[in-house]
Amino acid sequence: MKKNERIDRVELMRTFVRIVEAGSLSAAARQLNTTQATISRRLQSLEAMLGVKLVLRTTHAMKLTDDGERGYQHAKHIIDAWLALEDGLNVTEDEPVGMLRVRAPHAFGQQQLLTPLLSFLARYPNLSVEWMLNDKTVDFLSDNIDCAIRVGAEVDPATVSVLLAEVPRSVVATPALLAQFDAITVPEQLSSLPWIAINTFYQHNVSLTHQYRREPVTFPIAPRLSTDSIYVARNAALAGLGVAVVSSWTVTEDIAQGRLVELVPDWQATPLPVHLVYPWARYYPGRLRKFLELMKKVMPELAGMRRPEVE
């Protein structure tokens, strides 16, 4: 038993850090995909090994002791150093290894980023990627995520956030729908048309800016359909349900083929920023660094994307 404990000291410290950051033994067990009893045994083993009490537990609460507070900070340093050692020993000619867990929006993850991702995996055969498509806010700890691609979201100051690109947007509708109304010459007239709202970006009002005069305008809308899916919005617009403001890359071909018309093209919605976000740490493994390099390179070059404007 003591021999195994010596071998698994780093794992015991990882478990302790996860207990502290998760807030409870049961939460740590869920995140590490094991049982609460196993987590409890690991904690007891670490406490016995160090000869101190790290955590005080009652039925409803958990609190770190003073030794636990110091131990937590030391354990994080040791884990970072161990990760750096593992990474350094396993990297040959800067070859990343291990599992990288990435969350991406459905639209990007299914279409825009799949080809670069496959090329990335082909280039680094010792690397694996867990590619999770979800548009919700990321909780890196509880979701066990290494990094996430976020489109149009507020930047969390507690994370590292790298601006990769911008997504221009277009105001579109079908010719058949527009034929039912007077010709649109100014943005305010759009308020009287039926609308499709993408509720993560706009719901009751639409704001546009003249691309040359930089003059802003905001007008109310009454959505026939609200959705959190860019694909649903595009398909509903194609069906003639209403007007939508969608990422330009999703409708470029529709506009070229005449299935959709871009309205008031001199007036545009603010482009959506695309960030790669990840939790702050003292050390970042090679697989995350390489993925960040890839995203910086390919994201602005994707169809319908552009490099962010510098203020």
Side-chain angles (χ1 to χ4, degrees):
M1 178 67 178
K2 289 187 179 298
K3 182 178 179 181
N4 288 337
E5 286 176 350
R6 286 197 296 272
I7 293 172
D8 294 332
R9 281 176 177 172
V10 172
E11 188 59 37
L12 295 180
M13 284 187 285
R14 282 175 172 161
T15 299
F16 172 54
V17 167
R18 185 58 64 96
I19 291 169
V20 175
E21 295 181 346
S24 70
L25 272 67
S26 58
R30 288 194 299 272
Q31 293 170 16
L32 294 173
N33 196 28
T34 188
T35 64
Q36 184 171 338
T38 297
I39 297 297
S40 181
R41 281 196 300 271
R42 291 179 186 173
L43 176 60
Q44 290 169 9
S45 296
L46 183 61
E47 289 177 329
M49 189 183 305
L50 297 174
V52 296
K53 191 71 174 174
L54 298 171
V55 175
L56 297 175
R57 284 182 287 163
T58 66
T59 306
H60 303 293
M62 183 191 84
K63 181 182 178 181
L64 288 179
T65 64
D66 289 343
D67 288 327
E69 290 281 3
R70 290 193 296 272
Y72 169 64
Q73 298 300 329
H74 283 299
K76 288 203 297 183
H77 280 289
I78 292 168
I79 291 167
D80 287 339
W82 183 259
L83 287 171
L85 175 62
E86 282 186 326
D87 210 32
L89 293 177
N90 284 303
V91 170
T92 304
E93 296 181 356
D94 209 20
E95 180 86 5
V97 299
M99 173 70 75
L100 181 69
R101 296 174 176 85
V102 184
R103 177 176 287 181
H106 277 96
F108 275 138
Q110 291 180 80
Q111 190 167 337
Q112 294 284 78
L113 292 176
L114 185 56
T115 297
L117 174 65
L118 296 178
S119 299
F120 185 63
L121 288 169
R123 181 177 179 183
Y124 301 117
N126 294 320
L127 178 69
S128 299
V129 172
E130 188 172 341
W131 192 243
M132 290 159 281
L133 304 185
N134 192 315
D135 296 296
K136 296 179 180 178
T137 302
V138 180
D139 184 331
F140 291 101
L141 181 64
S142 63
D143 295 340
N144 198 20
I145 303 294
D146 294 307
C147 62
I149 297 164
R150 302 287 288 152
V151 179
E154 292 293 328
V155 175
D156 183 351
T159 65
V160 180
S161 182
V162 180
L163 180 60
L164 301 173
E166 290 180 342
V167 184
R169 294 189 286 169
S170 300
V171 183
V172 297
T174 59
L177 176 70
L178 297 176
Q180 302 173 34
F181 298 88
D182 293 335
I184 302 296
T185 57
V186 294
E188 291 86 348
Q189 292 175 294
L190 294 170
S191 185
S192 62
L193 273 60
W195 272 83
I196 301 155
I198 302 179
N199 52 32
T200 45
F201 303 126
Y202 65 96
Q203 297 188 58
H204 307 297
N205 298 281
V206 169
S207 296
L208 304 175
T209 302
H210 196 281
Q211 60 178 326
Y212 304 117
R213 302 195 301 266
R214 311 309 301 169
E215 174 188 341
V217 63
T218 298
F219 52 87
I221 62 171
R224 296 288 316 284
L225 172 68
S226 293
T227 178
D228 62 356
S229 167
I230 190 173
Y231 285 133
V232 169
R234 169 187 171 266
N235 291 335
L238 282 169
L241 181 67
V243 184
V245 180
V246 294
S247 299
S248 299
W249 65 267
T250 65
V251 293
T252 299
E253 187 175 339
D254 296 322
I255 293 171
Q257 298 295 324
R259 294 186 291 267
L260 291 172
V261 175
E262 185 173 8
L263 303 174
V264 292
D266 286 345
W267 295 84
Q268 297 182 349
T270 302
L272 301 175
V274 182
H275 291 91
L276 182 72
V277 296
Y278 46 93
W280 185 90
R282 295 176 183 84
Y283 173 77
Y284 299 107
R287 54 188 173 269
L288 178 57
R289 298 195 304 270
K290 285 294 183 182
F291 186 72
L292 175 57
E293 288 176 14
L294 172 75
M295 290 296 99
K296 283 181 175 179
K297 179 181 178 181
V298 305
M299 189 69 77
E301 307 300 328
L302 295 175
M305 308 287 283
R306 71 185 188 199
R307 295 189 181 280
E309 294 183 359
V310 179
E311 293 289 338

